[in-house]
Amino acid sequence: MYNRLLLLEFILLLVTIDVYGQGRQDSVQTGARIRIEGIVRMVGNEPFTSLVVTDASGQDWFIDLKDQKTLLAFQQQRVTIEGTLTVQKQILADGRELPPKKIVSEIRVIKN
């Protein structure tokens, strides 16, 4: 019985690490279905604002324009969402490369 409980706790720990670690993983590929937990925030300046979910590691996951209506009511609240990831390269005019922009589309709110 004790071994089963220990095994269950270990599995739950691995799942938790996987969910919270997604923001730091560079190996997440475009087209992957992902689950993110974080705070819904509006970033940028008018008229160029974006809606993001900021996870526990500080990674901003940008919400696709078509899906922003789904999350607008949850601003400054913690949510868990599922969606499809698009990783977009960002290269400045002088050729310098910024970290890739991670955009989530086809979202579904799991928990708020």
Side-chain angles (χ1 to χ4, degrees):
M1 178 69 169
Y2 177 74
N3 288 342
R4 287 180 126 182
L5 184 60
L6 190 60
L7 179 62
L8 179 61
E9 287 177 4
F10 180 71
I11 290 170
L12 288 174
L13 176 65
L14 289 177
V15 169
T16 303
I17 289 170
D18 180 51
V19 169
Y20 283 105
Q22 284 184 356
R24 294 180 297 269
Q25 291 178 0
D26 291 328
S27 62
V28 180
Q29 300 292 322
T30 291
R33 196 81 181 145
I34 60 171
R35 181 177 288 199
I36 304 160
E37 179 180 332
I39 304 291
V40 178
R41 302 182 314 118
M42 185 70 72
V43 297
N45 296 311
E46 284 292 343
F48 305 107
T49 57
S50 297
L51 201 62
V52 299
V53 174
T54 304
D55 68 15
S57 71
Q59 169 73 48
D60 285 335
W61 300 84
F62 289 80
I63 304 303
D64 188 88
L65 288 173
K66 294 176 285 192
D67 294 298
Q68 288 189 4
K69 268 199 259 182
T70 306
L71 289 182
L72 275 175
F74 298 109
Q75 284 187 66
Q76 300 305 315
Q77 296 179 39
R78 180 169 300 283
V79 297
T80 302
I81 63 169
E82 277 187 347
T84 303
L85 178 67
T86 301
V87 179
Q88 188 178 71
K89 275 187 148 184
Q90 298 187 92
I91 301 174
L92 299 175
D94 64 4
R96 287 183 294 147
E97 194 168 325
L98 296 175
K101 184 176 185 178
K102 296 176 180 173
I103 304 167
V104 184
S105 60
E106 301 169 14
I107 65 165
R108 181 171 67 105
V109 177
I110 304 295
K111 184 176 87 175
N112 61 348

